[in-house]
Amino acid sequence: MKYTIPCLFGLEALVADELRRLDLKNVRAENGRVHCDGGPADIPRLNINLRCGARVLVELASFPAPDFEALFQGVAAIPWEDCIPRDGEFPVKGYSISSQLHSVPACQAIVKKAAAKRLGQAYGCETLPETGDRYQIQFALIKDTAAVYLDTSGDGLYKRGYRAHNNGAPLRETLAAALVLLSRYRGRDPFCDPFCGSGTIPIEAALIAKNRAPGLDRRFAAQKWQSLPAKLWLDAAEEAMDQEFHGQYDIWGGDIDPSAVELSRHNAELAGVDDCVRFEVADAGKFHRDSDYGQLVTNPPYGERLLEKREAEALYRSFGKAARTLPAGWRVLVLSSHTEFERAFGRSAEKKRKLYNGMLKCDAFFYHGGAKTEPNKG
C-alpha cells in the first residue's frame, strides 16, 4: 500500500524522519507532503504515532488526467468495492494546481460520479444509500496528473483531543510538536515557554519527553472501516504504550494572563501530562533561568494590525533583553510572522527556517543564550 502524509510547508523533513523511525519503506518528501509504502497495519500505527503530519491518506491510484473523460475513467477503474461497503458514505474533496482541470467543484462532481457508477455496478443498485460509515475520498490534480486517496484520519491529526479551546492562539499541535523537535529537546534539559497561551508547546514537549504517542486519546475514521480489523488498532496502541518513558521532567509554561494559565493546566490534565508540566502566571519580560542548559521554545503574539504590531515590538524588546540573560548553553527558538522581529528582539538570528502557521508565513528564529549579537539593522 502507498501512503501520503500531507503536512505544513517546512515540516516535510521532520515527517520523513518520523516515517523512517516507524520503519516505513521508500520514504520520499515533496512540497507539503511525504510518501511511503507500508501494509494495512501501518494505518493505525501512522495515525496514532505521527506528531507533525496533517493526516494519513491511502493512495488508490495515480494517472494522467488532462480532461474530464480521463479523470472519470481513471476514477471508475479503481476497485472501490474493495474498500467502500454498500451503505458507505463517500464524500469527495480535493484541489488542483497547474492543471487544465482547474475547477475544483467540477472535478469533485466527476470523481463522485465515477466512484458512484463503479460502486452501483458492483452492488447492483442505481442509488447508493450512503447511510453508513464515512469513507472520505480525496484527489490532488497537479500538472494534469490525478492522485486519488482515501482519508484514514477523519479529523486532522493536530486534533489530539486535549485542547477543546485554544484561547485565541492559532498554533496547531502539529506545528508545536515540530518546533519542539527542531529545538532538539529530548526530555533531559529544562524546557520553557514564556508565552504559553493554551499550553500547546509545553504539552507537546511533555508528550515528546515521555515518548507518548499523540493519537492515543482520540478516534480515527478508519477505525470504523470493515476492511481494517479492530485488532490492528489494539496492537498499534499497545506497541505505542510499550515505548513510553517514565521519568522526571522540568517543563515550564508561563503567561501573563491568569485565564490562559488555568486553561493550560486543564489541557495538560486532559493530555495526561499534568504530572510533568508546570504552568505559572509570569511576565516574559522578566524571564530568567540560572541552569547552564535548556531549551526555550515559544510563539509570542505576532501583532497583525498596526497598533498590535507596535505592542508586539515592545514585547519582543523586553523579552529579547530577558533572553540575553540566559547562560550560553540555552537554545532559544522563537516563531514569529513579524517582519521586524530580529530588530525588535535586539539580535540577528543565528539561523532561520521558513514555516507556515496555517496560511500565515512565519520564520523560526534560532539563538543561543548569552550571545550579545548586534541587532539586525536591515
Side-chain angles (χ1 to χ4, degrees):
M1 299 174 74
K2 293 182 178 179
Y3 297 108
T4 295
I5 317 298
C7 62
L8 292 169
F9 286 105
L11 303 190
E12 297 88 352
L14 289 177
V15 174
D17 285 344
E18 289 192 275
L19 296 176
R20 292 186 188 101
R21 282 198 297 273
L22 288 169
D23 295 325
L24 274 296
K25 308 302 179 191
N26 197 19
V27 175
R28 54 223 184 267
E30 297 178 5
N31 283 340
R33 53 188 187 165
V34 185
H35 307 282
C36 65
D37 298 340
D42 291 313
I43 291 177
R45 292 181 72 241
L46 288 166
N47 277 294
I48 288 171
N49 287 286
L50 285 179
R51 299 186 190 280
C52 303
R55 58 184 61 250
V56 180
L57 306 177
V58 179
E59 184 180 318
L60 301 178
S62 179
F63 50 88
D67 51 47
F68 287 126
E69 180 62 21
L71 180 61
F72 182 92
Q73 294 300 336
V75 174
I78 297 170
W80 294 103
E81 64 276 10
D82 290 349
C83 45
I84 301 178
R86 185 181 184 279
D87 65 345
E89 181 191 7
F90 55 104
V92 176
K93 61 183 177 182
Y95 61 90
S96 176
I97 299 172
S98 303
S99 294
Q100 294 178 67
L101 300 179
H102 53 81
S103 170
V104 172
C107 293
Q108 283 177 293
I110 291 293
V111 172
K112 178 77 174 183
K113 185 178 178 182
K117 182 180 179 182
R118 172 81 186 218
L119 287 167
Q121 289 173 342
Y123 293 121
C125 54
E126 287 187 19
T127 304
L128 294 157
E130 293 199 61
T131 53
D133 296 323
R134 175 174 288 216
Y135 295 76
Q136 177 71 60
I137 298 172
Q138 290 204 22
F139 67 86
L141 269 165
I142 303 174
K143 296 181 179 177
D144 293 332
T145 296
V148 182
Y149 310 95
L150 271 185
D151 176 7
T152 72
S153 301
D155 287 337
L157 296 183
Y158 73 92
K159 293 191 175 181
R160 317 288 208 215
Y162 67 75
R163 196 175 74 169
H165 307 288
N166 66 10
N167 211 33
L171 190 71
R172 286 190 169 182
E173 291 84 333
T174 43
L175 180 54
L179 295 176
V180 175
L181 292 171
L182 288 171
S183 79
R184 296 186 304 206
Y185 174 69
R186 297 296 181 267
R188 289 182 289 276
D189 301 330
F191 182 95
C192 297
D193 176 4
F195 297 96
C196 72
S198 56
T200 310
I201 291 175
I203 289 170
E204 291 296 323
L207 292 171
I208 287 168
K210 292 167 72 77
N211 201 36
R212 180 173 175 81
L216 282 171
D217 295 325
R218 56 157 286 179
R219 305 282 294 173
F220 302 96
Q223 281 179 269
K224 295 182 178 180
W225 292 3
Q226 297 173 14
S227 57
L228 210 57
K231 186 178 186 303
L232 296 182
W233 293 93
L234 294 171
D235 289 347
E238 188 175 329
E239 176 193 44
M241 289 187 286
D242 284 346
Q243 294 176 18
E244 283 188 26
F245 305 141
H246 302 282
Q248 298 295 315
Y249 307 103
D250 182 3
I251 303 171
W252 177 89
D255 202 284
I256 203 161
D257 181 358
S259 65
V261 171
E262 189 175 332
L263 178 59
S264 295
R265 288 173 179 156
H266 175 67
N267 289 344
E269 190 175 341
L270 290 177
V273 296
D274 52 315
D275 61 330
C276 57
V277 188
R278 292 179 297 117
F279 291 103
E280 295 175 344
V281 177
D283 182 349
K286 297 175 181 176
F287 179 81
H288 180 72
R289 288 293 184 277
D290 292 321
S291 55
D292 291 337
Y293 299 95
Q295 274 93 0
L296 188 157
V297 178
T298 196
N299 176 44
Y302 299 158
E304 293 304 303
R305 293 188 288 274
L306 185 60
L307 181 62
E308 291 175 346
K309 274 189 184 300
R310 290 178 188 145
E311 291 172 352
E313 287 177 14
L315 200 62
Y316 297 161
R317 274 193 291 277
S318 64
F319 173 49
K321 288 178 185 176
R324 286 195 287 280
T325 69
L326 289 170
W330 275 74
R331 288 196 293 269
V332 177
L333 191 164
V334 185
L335 182 73
S336 180
S337 68
H338 200 298
T339 53
E340 296 294 313
F341 172 80
E342 289 169 287
R343 178 184 58 77
F345 191 68
R347 296 164 63 189
S348 297
E350 296 163 28
K351 186 174 75 171
K352 287 195 286 188
R353 181 170 179 148
K354 287 199 185 317
L355 295 172
Y356 280 83
N357 185 1
M359 297 303 293
L360 191 62
K361 187 177 177 182
C362 300
D363 282 293
F365 299 93
F366 294 80
Y367 298 93
H368 278 85
K372 291 181 172 58
T373 313
E374 284 297 311
N376 184 1
K377 310 289 188 193

